[in-house]
């Protein structure tokens, strides 16, 4: 008789551990790649946003410096302001520089002994619509007692 034993395929604990480690490393590498791509897109958007802001700020600074220079030299500040789209009302100068589709840089200056900056801020120009999908209790009774 043949006492030959047929070879059995046995997967030991070591093989299972290696397979599990490879699987975990693959999942973590895919998650890391996904996170890196998302962070890259966000960084590119922030870079474009910062470039747009600093471009608008440079244009506004140029107008303010030119207004101050005209005032210091005794030239007509109001004529320069009207020529460059600056609104003047009671020696207060208003103008905006567009940053992007939804924001603009708003500048308010007051003419005293020179130009004083009253406001230099980013203002949203996009329409805001509130989310009213969730009913919020307004304090009134919901039913009669």
């Amino acid at each position: 008789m043949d006492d030959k034993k047929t070879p059995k395929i046995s997967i030991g604990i070591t093989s299972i551990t290696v397979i599990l480690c490879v699987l975990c490393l693959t999942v973590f590498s895919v998650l890391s790649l996904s996170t890196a791509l998302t962070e890259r897109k966000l960084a590119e958007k922030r870079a474009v946003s910062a470039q747009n802001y600093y471009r608008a700020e440079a244009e506004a600074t140029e107008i303010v410096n030119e207004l101050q220079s005209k005032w210091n030299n005794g030239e007509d500040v109001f004529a320069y302001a009207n020529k460059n789209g600056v609104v003047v009302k009671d020696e207060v100068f208003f103008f905006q520089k567009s940053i992007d589709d939804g924001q603009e840089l708003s500048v308010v200056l007051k003419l005293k002994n020179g130009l004083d900056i009253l406001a230099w801020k980013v203002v949203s120009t996009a329409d805001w619509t509130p989310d009213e999908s969730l009913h919020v209790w307004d304090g009134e009774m919901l039913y009669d007692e």
Side-chain angles (χ1 to χ4, degrees), residues 131-136:
D131 180 17
E132 297 178 351
S133 62
L134 180 65
H135 178 71
V136 178

Side-chain angles (χ1 to χ4, degrees), residues 73-92:
N73 294 335
E75 298 176 32
D76 189 10
V77 177
F78 301 103
Y80 176 80
N82 290 330
K83 185 175 86 172
N84 288 298
V86 178
V87 177
V88 181
K89 183 177 180 183
D90 298 330
E91 296 187 345
V92 178

Side-chain angles (χ1 to χ4, degrees), residues 25-39:
L25 289 174
T26 304
V27 169
F28 288 146
S29 66
V30 168
L31 289 174
S32 295
L33 180 63
S34 173
T35 302
L37 291 175
T38 304
E39 291 291 327

Side-chain angles (χ1 to χ4, degrees), residues 1-6:
M1 288 206 227
D2 257 337
D3 282 341
K4 289 185 181 178
K5 294 183 179 178
T6 56

Side-chain angles (χ1 to χ4, degrees), residues 111-122:
L111 185 63
K112 291 184 181 176
N113 297 334
L115 287 173
D116 291 335
I117 298 174
L118 298 180
W120 189 286
K121 61 183 176 179
V122 176

Side-chain angles (χ1 to χ4, degrees), residues 16-101:
I16 292 175
T17 305
V18 168
I19 291 171
L20 185 62
C21 287
V22 168
L23 184 64
C24 288
L25 289 174
T26 304
V27 169
F28 288 146
S29 66
V30 168
L31 289 174
S32 295
L33 180 63
S34 173
T35 302
L37 291 175
T38 304
E39 291 291 327
R40 178 181 176 191
K41 287 179 187 176
L42 179 63
E44 288 171 351
K45 285 182 180 181
R46 288 191 57 137
V48 168
S49 176
Q51 287 173 347
N52 289 340
Y53 173 77
Y54 286 121
R55 178 196 41 78
E57 189 173 62
E59 292 172 3
T61 302
E62 185 177 320
I63 290 175
V64 171
N65 288 342
E66 193 62 33
L67 285 170
Q68 185 68 47
S69 174
K70 298 270 186 209
W71 173 257
N72 291 342
N73 294 335
E75 298 176 32
D76 189 10
V77 177
F78 301 103
Y80 176 80
N82 290 330
K83 185 175 86 172
N84 288 298
V86 178
V87 177
V88 181
K89 183 177 180 183
D90 298 330
E91 296 187 345
V92 178
F93 297 81
F94 305 91
F95 68 93
Q96 294 85 24
K97 288 295 174 182
S98 177
I99 295 174
D100 56 24
D101 293 339

